[in-house]
Amino acid sequence: GQNIDQPTEMTATEGAIVQINCTYQTSGFNGLFWYQQHAGEAPTFLSYNVLDGLEEKGRFSSFLSRSKGYSYLLLKELQMKDSASYLCAVRDNNAGNMLTFGGGTRLMVKP
Amino acid sequence: DTEVTQTPKHLVMGMTNKKSLKCEQHMGHRAMYWYKQKAKKPPELMFVYSYEKLSINESVPSRFSPECPNSSLLNLHLHALQPEDSALYLCASSQGSSGANVLTFGAGSRLTVL
C-alpha cells in the first residue's frame, strides 16, 4: 500500500507565495503528479516529477526528493482563483502503475 | 478535442433503479478509468480499462458494472445501489497507463441514491 500525506487546509494572502507539502511511502515509485481541483469540478493536471529537482511552470513549481519521499508544490503571486484543493498523486510500479491520490490540501486565498 | 465528456452531470436514483453513466473521449487514449469521489475526499480508483480490456477492478461491489464498448467509450452500469454510493463519479483517460502518462478527467457525474 501507499501512504500519502498532505496538510488538510492552508490559508494564504493574495499576492503571496505558498508551499504545499506532500510526503509519501511507496515500494515502487514511478512518478508524482499534482492536480488542482475546484469545488465540484474535475481535477486538472498541474505538474509531474519523476526525477529529483524542481520543475517550473509559470507561477507554479513542483519539487521532488525521492530519497526523502517528499514533494512540494509552490504557488507564487497568489490569485483569488487559486483557491482550490491541491491533490498529490503517486504512481507505483508495484500497484499496477496506478495513481493513488493523497487526501488533498484545501487552499483558501484571502484578499 | 482534448476533453473527456461525461453524462449525465447529475443523476438521482432509487435503490431499485437501473441507470448508466457514460464517458467519451476522442483523444486516442487507450486507458480509461472510473474514480469515485466523496465530498472533501480524494478520488478513489474503481476500474481501469486498457486497450478496451478490464485490467483493474479495485474490489468494487458488483452493483457497479463497467463496460467499454470501444476505445472511445466507457460506461458504468448501476443497479441496486445504496445511499452510501452517493458521490461524484469521475471518468478519466490517458495515453497509456504507466510512467508520465497524465490523466485527463471529465467533469464528473454527481450521483444521489435515495
Side-chain angles (χ1 to χ4, degrees), chain B residues 54-87:
Chain B
L54 182 65
S55 60
I56 292 183
N57 174 343
E58 290 288 319
S59 303
V60 179
S62 59
R63 57 186 185 268
F64 295 91
S65 174
E67 178 197 16
C68 188
N70 60 54
S71 59
S72 300
L73 294 174
L74 185 66
N75 298 324
L76 186 63
H77 302 299
L78 315 170
H79 175 53
L81 295 193
Q82 305 295 312
E84 59 263 30
D85 296 322
S86 298

Side-chain angles (χ1 to χ4, degrees), chain A residues 9 30-31 33 35 37 39-45 48 87 91 95-104 106, chain B residues 33 35 37 40-43 45 48 56 58 88 90 96-108 110:
Chain A
E9 289 185 351
N30 194 21
F33 297 76
Y35 280 82
Q37 187 176 25
E41 297 182 13
T44 55
F45 169 73
Y48 168 72
L87 302 166
R91 200 186 286 281
N97 258 316
M98 291 302 107
L99 272 189
T100 299
F101 286 85
R106 214 157 33 252
Chain B
Y33 311 76
Y35 281 84
Q37 187 176 28
K40 298 185 180 181
K41 297 288 187 185
L45 183 65
V48 181
I56 292 183
E58 290 288 319
L88 181 68
L90 292 165
S97 57
S98 63
N101 284 290
V102 174
L103 267 62
T104 300
F105 284 88
R110 188 163 297 283

Side-chain angles (χ1 to χ4, degrees), chain A:
Chain A
Q2 301 174 56
N3 292 319
I4 303 173
D5 291 313
Q6 311 177 229
T8 306
E9 289 185 351
M10 297 182 73
T11 302
T13 305
E14 194 176 14
I17 299 174
V18 71
Q19 177 174 313
I20 302 174
N21 295 326
C22 171
T23 57
Y24 64 89
Q25 291 175 307
T26 182
S27 55
F29 177 81
N30 194 21
L32 186 145
F33 297 76
W34 284 96
Y35 280 82
Q36 179 191 61
Q37 187 176 25
H38 286 98
E41 297 182 13
T44 55
F45 169 73
L46 290 178
S47 69
Y48 168 72
N49 296 71
V50 67
L51 299 175
D52 291 350
L54 189 68
E55 294 284 339
E56 295 187 76
K57 260 190 186 183
R59 292 191 299 117
F60 293 4
S61 304
S62 58
F63 172 82
L64 175 68
S65 168
R66 289 172 296 169
S67 62
K68 295 181 180 174
Y70 168 68
S71 173
Y72 67 71
L73 181 69
L74 194 72
L75 292 76
K76 302 175 188 172
E77 301 167 20
L78 279 174
Q79 302 175 9
M80 299 299 289
K81 66 178 182 179
D82 296 329
S83 294
S85 285
Y86 291 86
L87 302 166
C88 172
V90 174
R91 200 186 286 281
D92 187 345
N93 265 333
N94 295 334
N97 258 316
M98 291 302 107
L99 272 189
T100 299
F101 286 85
T105 298
R106 214 157 33 252
L107 174 67
M108 187 179 304
V109 179
K110 295 187 172 178

